[in-house]
Amino acid sequence: MSTPSYLSEARRTLALGAPIIVGQVSQMLMGVTDSVMIGRLGKIPLAASSFANAIWGMAFMTGIGLLIPVAVLVSRSHGAGRDGEAGDWLRHGMALGLAIGAMTTGALFALAGELHRFGQPAEVVAEIRPYFDLIAASMIPTLVFQVLRQFSESLGRPWMPMAIMLAGVGLNIGLNWIFIYGHLGVPAFGLAGAGWATLTARTLGVAVIWMGLKRAPDIRAAWPRAWVTGFETARFREMLAFGVPAAGTLLFESGAFTVAALMMGWISATALAAHQIAISCAAFTFMFPLGLSMAVSMRIGRAVGEGRHAALRPIGFGAQLLSAMVMGTFALVFALAGPYLAAGFVTEESVIRLASQLLVVAAVFQLGDGGQVVAAGALRGLADVKVPTLITFLAYWGIAIPGAYFAGVAGPLGALGVWVALAVGLMVAAVLLNLRYARMTVRL
C-alpha cells in the first residue's frame, strides 16, 4: 500500500476522531478542573481525591472494557447496512451497562468502609469518605452515557456526544464553585462538594444525550422500538466473549496505575499529591490517542463489515502517525513547562518540585502511551482481544508494577522510580501490540 493511502486513511480517521477526541478531552477536563479546584483546599484533600479516583478509575475502565463491544458491533452492523441490528446491539448494551453500573456501584459502596486497609496516610483516609460515596454513585450514569455515546459515534454522529461532554465540563466547574467553596447561599462542602458536582453533571449528561438521540431523524432507523422485551441470550454471550478480554486489557493497565497511586501513598502524602498532578496532566494528553483509538476501532470494524480488508493496515498505522505527532508535542511541553503546570494545581513548593520531576518522566512515555492505546483499539476492531490481554498483563504486571515497587518503594528512587517503571511498561506494551497488529493484518 502506497504512502498516500496511509495519509488519506489518517485524514479520514482524524475526521471521525476529532470530535471524539474533543469529547474525551472534555471528559478529562472535568477531572483536571476538579483537581485544580480541590488543590486550592490543600494537599490532603488533593491526595484524598487522587486515592478515590484511582480506585474509581480502575472500576470505570473495567466497565468500559465490558461495553466496548457496543462500538465494534454497531459499527459492523452499520457498515453492512443493517441499522436495525445496530439498534439491537444498543438495547443489549444498555441492559449490560445498567447491570454493570449497578454491580460496580454496590462493590464501591462496600469497599468504602475498608479504605483504611490500603495503607494510605490516616489524614487522607479521614478526608475521603463522602467524596468517594458520591463518585461511586455516579458510575451508573457514567456507563450508560458511554453506551449511548458509542452508539452515536459508531453511526457516524460524533458531534452530539462531544457537545454534551463539553457542556458538562462547564456545568461541573460552575457546580464545583458553588459546592466546594460555598456560593449562592449553599454551604461550603469542601471535597464532598466536588463529588456532588460530578454526580449532578454526569446524571444530566445521560438525560440530554438520550433525548437528543431519540429525536434525531437520521438515527430513527436504528433506534430500538422496544427496550425491555425481546432480549437474546446469544447477543449477551457474544458481547461478553468480546468484552471480558477487552475489560481484562483495560483492567491490567488501569489497575497498574491504581497500584502506583497506592505506592505513592505508602511513600508520603506529598508523593500522592504530586502523583495526582502528574497523572492528571498525563491522563489529559492520553485522551488524544484514546480518541484516535476509538475512531480506529470503529473504522476497522466498519471496514471488516464492508469487506475492505486492504484498508486495515493503512487505517491502523496511519493513526499511529497521528498519535506520534500529537504525543511528541505534548512530550516537549511536559519536559519544558513542568514547574509551571504543577504550580497551576497547588502552591506548596515540595509538591510542585516533585510533580515537575514526574512530568519529565511522563514526557518520556508519551509516545509509548499513545502507541499502545491506538494499537489496542485497532486490534479490538479486528475482534482480537485475547492475545492483547496477555500482552498488557506482561507489560504492566510482569514489568511495571514489580519494577515500581523495587525501584520506588523498596529502592532509593521513591516516587520517581514508580513512574520510571510505568514508562518502561508502557513502552513494552506499545512495541508488542503494534507487532501483533502488523502480524494480524499481513494476512488480510
Side-chain angles (χ1 to χ4, degrees), residues 153-333:
E153 292 169 346
S154 297
L155 294 181
R157 297 184 85 258
W159 294 100
M160 179 173 31
M162 179 205 77
I164 293 170
M165 286 188 282
L166 275 175
V169 174
L171 176 62
N172 188 65
I173 291 172
L175 292 175
N176 273 344
W177 180 76
I178 294 170
F179 293 134
I180 293 177
Y181 308 127
H183 290 288
L184 303 181
V186 176
F189 291 106
L191 178 59
W196 281 113
T198 297
L199 176 60
T200 303
R202 287 172 175 166
T203 302
L204 288 175
V206 171
V208 173
I209 194 172
W210 173 276
M211 294 305 299
L213 290 173
K214 185 178 180 180
R215 296 178 178 179
D218 53 340
I219 282 183
R220 192 168 294 129
W223 192 253
R225 302 292 183 268
W227 289 92
V228 296
T229 59
F231 290 109
E232 301 174 38
T233 304
R235 289 194 185 274
F236 285 122
R237 279 201 300 265
E238 185 173 353
M239 293 179 77
L240 290 174
F242 183 5
V244 169
T249 299
L250 295 177
L251 176 61
F252 293 145
E253 180 179 358
S254 62
F257 280 92
T258 298
V259 172
L262 295 178
M263 289 181 184
M264 291 296 189
W266 298 342
I267 295 169
S268 69
T270 297
L272 187 56
H275 173 80
Q276 177 61 17
I277 293 170
I279 202 66
S280 293
C281 294
F284 173 78
T285 61
F286 179 71
M287 293 302 104
F288 288 81
L290 179 60
L292 288 175
S293 173
M294 292 176 174
V296 164
S297 184
M298 294 171 196
R299 291 203 65 221
I300 288 177
R302 185 167 181 173
V304 171
E306 294 170 343
R308 295 190 302 113
H309 298 296
L312 297 179
R313 274 204 160 198
I315 291 173
F317 290 120
Q320 289 289 4
L321 174 62
L322 291 172
S323 175
M325 293 169 60
V326 171
M327 297 305 271
T329 301
F330 283 129
L332 288 174
V333 173

Side-chain angles (χ1 to χ4, degrees), residues 138-156:
S138 75
M139 184 65 75
I140 294 176
T142 301
L143 293 181
V144 170
F145 184 91
Q146 291 299 316
V147 172
L148 293 167
R149 173 195 172 188
Q150 289 183 75
F151 173 74
S152 182
E153 292 169 346
S154 297
L155 294 181

Side-chain angles (χ1 to χ4, degrees), residues 404-414:
Y405 179 80
F406 288 111
V409 178
L413 297 180

